[in-house]
Amino acid sequence: MGTGTTISIIIAVVAIILTIFFYMNDSLDKRVEKAINHPDFIKKVAEYSKLPMLIFNEDGTYQSESADASLLISKIEPFTEKIERGKERFAGFIVYPSQFLNSAPILQAINSKVVFSKAKKINTIDWKYRIPEWNGSEWGGSYDEPPEKLYKIEIIK
């Protein structure tokens, strides 16, 4: 066999190997793209990455939950503070997790303008969310029945 024939065979083999490699690579890219765009896969990723969340009222009664959040929180208890002349005001919530959480859960009011101070640990695992006193007035009408105030807590795992 001549040198030209050997080189031709080597070039042909390398060309076949490169063709197979690029075909397989393109085929794998298309299969991966198809898999990650499938609705079942997207739903699974969304469910896995969603923060567990509870919606509750001023009494600490759960209204709704997602991602089994009620398994992570034992209870949510409102607390009051004394103000002038022996009166008390609603002052916030104490959250009792059922396990240790590295970060404080995120607490926010859903249908009111209530704001919370930065969460404080009151022991190893429990968190206290205090509503700072607000010195001002809010103008507006009145309701025939006061609306229920709802709050949302998201647990960071």
Side-chain angles (χ1 to χ4, degrees):
M1 211 188 287
T3 309
T5 308
T6 306
I7 292 175
S8 299
I9 292 173
I10 291 173
I11 290 174
V13 170
V14 168
I16 291 171
I17 291 172
L18 287 175
T19 303
I20 291 171
F21 172 75
F22 287 120
Y23 173 76
M24 293 294 289
N25 191 26
D26 188 48
S27 176
L28 285 174
D29 286 345
K30 287 179 182 175
R31 290 174 74 190
V32 168
E33 186 73 26
K34 183 179 177 183
I36 63 173
N37 287 324
H38 195 274
D40 292 338
F41 179 76
I42 293 170
K43 183 178 178 182
K44 191 181 282 186
V45 169
E47 193 64 36
Y48 181 75
S49 62
K50 187 187 322 181
L51 292 177
M53 181 235 359
L54 279 171
I55 294 178
F56 60 97
N57 63 13
E58 273 188 318
D59 299 326
T61 305
Y62 302 158
Q63 305 293 317
S64 178
E65 76 170 300
S66 72
D68 295 328
S70 62
L71 299 175
L72 299 170
I73 302 291
S74 297
K75 68 179 177 176
I76 298 172
E77 191 174 80
F79 70 92
T80 58
E81 291 178 345
K82 291 195 187 291
I83 53 174
E84 73 235 11
R85 297 184 188 104
K87 293 181 183 177
E88 290 190 348
R89 74 171 186 99
F90 171 64
F93 295 100
I94 298 175
V95 177
Y96 298 94
S98 55
Q99 63 190 34
F100 178 77
L101 300 173
N102 286 331
S103 301
I106 301 166
L107 178 63
Q108 58 188 343
I110 294 178
N111 61 350
S112 67
K113 296 178 183 175
V114 173
V115 294
F116 295 94
S117 299
K118 184 178 177 185
K120 293 181 182 161
K121 273 195 171 191
I122 52 176
N123 57 28
T124 310
I125 62 173
D126 301 331
W127 296 91
K128 184 175 187 177
Y129 296 86
R130 186 176 175 280
I131 300 170
E133 279 193 63
W134 185 59
N135 297 320
S137 62
E138 191 169 323
W139 299 95
S142 62
Y143 296 100
D144 59 346
E145 181 179 324
E148 181 177 41
K149 291 183 180 174
L150 296 175
Y151 304 90
K152 178 173 86 170
I153 190 163
E154 293 179 292
I155 299 116
I156 303 169
K157 295 196 257 183

